[in-house]
Structures are given as C-alpha cells and as structure tokens.
C-alpha cells in the first residue's frame, strides 16, 4: 500500500469549512458559494471504450480495498475507484462531513472524469460497500447523472430507513447547554477511541470480526491501507466529525433514495455481516419492489445474490462478488449498449 500508481483529480467544490461557517450566518446568499479545490486520489484501469464501473469504498477504507476486484472487472470494463474526501490518499480538510459531500464528490467525478467530451454517452454502474454503498445509491439517484447510471451495486450498504415512530420523537428542541456538554464528552471519547483503533493490532482485530467466514485476506497490506491514512495530521478531527453524524444537516433516508433510483440494483450481500444484518437487504428489496414493482417487466429491477462473507464481501469473498457484478453488468450493459 503506497501513494504511487494512482491518478489525482482536483475537485473544485463549495464543500469547505468557509462555506459551512457562513451557512448559519446573516451573510447575503450570494456570498455563500466560495469554492475550494480538494485533491482526490483515484485509480483507473481497463479499456476506455468500454462501459464504466465506479467503485466506492466504505468508512475508514480506500480504493485499495478493491484490490481483488479491480483487475478482474477491468478485463471486460473500464473501471474507476476513488478515495472519498477525508479518507485514503485524498485530502482530509477540517470541515463538517455529511452524506451530500460524498454524493456530490461522486456526481462531479462522474461528470468531470468519466463522462469526458468524447464519452458523454458512456453507460456507468456505480458500486459501493457500507458507507460507499449508501453513497453509490445516493449518487445514482441524483438528477445530474442518473441518465448515465444504468446500474447500482450495493455491497452491504449502510444508511438509515424511515421510522415514523422515531420521527415523532424528534420534534422537541434539545437544550443547547446539554448539547454542548454532550458534544465535549463525545469528542473526548471519540478522540480516545481513534487513538486506540488506529493501532495495527486493533485494526486487524476489527477486520477479522467483520470477515467472519474467511479472514485469510486480512493481511498486513490491508491493515496498512487503513492505518497509514489515520496518521495524517487532520485524520483524528475528520474521524470525529464523521462519527458525530457529520453535524451539517439531515441525512437522506434509504427509502427516499430508493424511490428516486431509475436503474436496476444488485444486492451482493455478505449474509454473515455482524454490523449490517441481512434484514437491511430484506428491507431494501421490499422497498424497491414497493416503489418500482417486483415483476422485472420494467427497466427497474432488483436482484439479490447472497455472499458467504461478512461486512466486506468484495474483499472476503472476491470471486463470488466479482462473478455477481460481472453477471449483473453484462445484463444491464447488453440491454443498454
């Protein structure tokens, strides 16, 4: 695991600390859009004339987590993988992180890198694991790129579902003093947790827990790919801001995102996941059928493939996941190309 062999994309965006500090101020609306350039690490492999597959990693991981997938998928397709802002070799600015940051990063990457002038009609499948799975479907449902996104692959995707009962409980206004004290205590606890969890032995322990079927791929290089980025000077603060639910607005519910998706979905699900249970995949299947129908007669359909693995099936059981993705994209690209 090293920073060599990758490409860099300069992402010009309004997502920055300066803009965020102005959002709740009395500054004129016209003054709120101040742009910053963030350096984003990404990898590209395969024939540029082929349809594209974009891979999005999960929390704490990086492009390297797709080490066993990229070479195989790139034999037939044009494969991209990028490090989300705050992770891997990408920049780690001190700012608030919410789901819209990574959604916009992926949307802009698709528009500016994948959909170049000579490839404006290039069909794309977006695949992601955990936080990356949530980001994949959130991006795929976005009006700015949904016409190009022909498929979405969810590898044990994270995300919150709507709960009418909990919404009713969130109507009361919290005491600001209690909020401040709670935040201070939370910061101390999370900072201590970060120091502990970035230790190689602890990283390996956590990984083995989420690779419950076959931990053979929990090797030194995988541990290093998680530990090295955590040594960045800004990493602890980024970790805190992400863990504390990002602090800059409500997150989109999975229900609402699925309702806006206009492409087929593959659930390649590690059924022994100790973190995101199979019930989450069950609910996604149910909701997708509710919104788009279950008979597969339309261009919107959902397929589930059960993988013998845990939270990171693409790395724990790459042969199974690669086969599932290739079969899925072969079907959708054959229908669209």
């Amino acid at each position: 695991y090293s920073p060599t062999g990758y490409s860099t994309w300069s992402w010009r965006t309004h997502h920055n600390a300066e803009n965020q500090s102005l959002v709740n101020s009395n500054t004129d609306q016209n003054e709120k859009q101040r742009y910053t350039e963030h350096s984003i690490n990404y990898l590209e492999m395969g024939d540029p004339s082929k349809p594209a597959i974009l891979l999005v990693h999960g929390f704490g991981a990086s492009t390297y987590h797709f080490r066993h997938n990229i070479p195989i998928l790139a034999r037939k397709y044009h494969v991209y993988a990028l490090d989300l802002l705050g992770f891997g070799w990408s920049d780690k600015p001190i700012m608030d992180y919410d789901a819209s940051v990574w959604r916009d990063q992926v949307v802009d990457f698709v528009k500016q890198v994948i959909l170049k002038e000579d490839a404006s009609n290039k069909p794309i499948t977006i695949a992601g694991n955990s936080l990356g799975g949530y980001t994949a479907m959130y991006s795929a449902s976005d009006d700015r790129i949904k016409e190009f996104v022909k498929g979405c692959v969810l590898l044990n995707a994270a995300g919150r579902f709507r709960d009418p009962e909990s919404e009713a409980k969130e109507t009361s206004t919290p005491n600001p003093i209690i909020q401040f004290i709670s935040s201070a205590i939370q910061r101390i606890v999370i900072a201590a947790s970060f120091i502990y969890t970035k230790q190689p032995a602890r990283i390996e322990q956590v990984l083995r827990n989420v690779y419950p079927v076959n931990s053979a791929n929990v090797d030194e290089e995988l541990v290093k790919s998680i530990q090295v980025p955590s040594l960045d000077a800004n990493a602890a603060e980024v970790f805190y801001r992400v863990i504390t639910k990002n602090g800059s607005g409500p997150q989109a519910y999975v229900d609402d995102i699925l309702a806006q998706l206009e492409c087929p979905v593959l659930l390649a699900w590690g059924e022994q996941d100790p973190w995101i249970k199979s019930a989450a995949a069950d609910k996604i299947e149910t909701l997708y059928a509710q919104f788009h129908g279950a008979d597969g007669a339309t261009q919107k359909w959902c397929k589930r493939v059960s993988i013998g693995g845990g939270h990171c099936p693409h790395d724990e059981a790459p042969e199974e996941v690669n086969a599932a993705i290739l079969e899925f994209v072969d079907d959708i690209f054959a229908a669209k190309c």
Side-chain angles (χ1 to χ4, degrees), residues 24-38:
N24 295 319
S25 71
N26 294 321
T27 306
D28 183 82
Q29 183 70 30
N30 293 327
E31 296 296 324
K32 290 184 179 178
Q33 294 301 309
R34 302 185 182 184
Y35 288 84
T36 299
E37 291 195 357
H38 300 305

Side-chain angles (χ1 to χ4, degrees), residues 40-42 57 62-63 81-85 87-90 105:
I40 302 300
N41 183 72
Y42 75 94
H57 65 81
S62 67
T63 293
L82 81 169
D83 288 350
L84 294 175
L85 190 70
F87 299 106
W89 297 116
S90 288
Q105 179 187 347

Side-chain angles (χ1 to χ4, degrees), residues 28 183 202:
D28 183 82
S183 176
R202 176 57 180 158

Side-chain angles (χ1 to χ4, degrees), residues 163-180:
D163 182 352
E165 293 183 6
S166 68
E167 286 181 20
K169 297 175 185 176
E170 293 174 359
T171 56
S172 60
T173 303
N175 184 311
I177 297 176
I178 294 176
Q179 274 192 312
F180 175 80

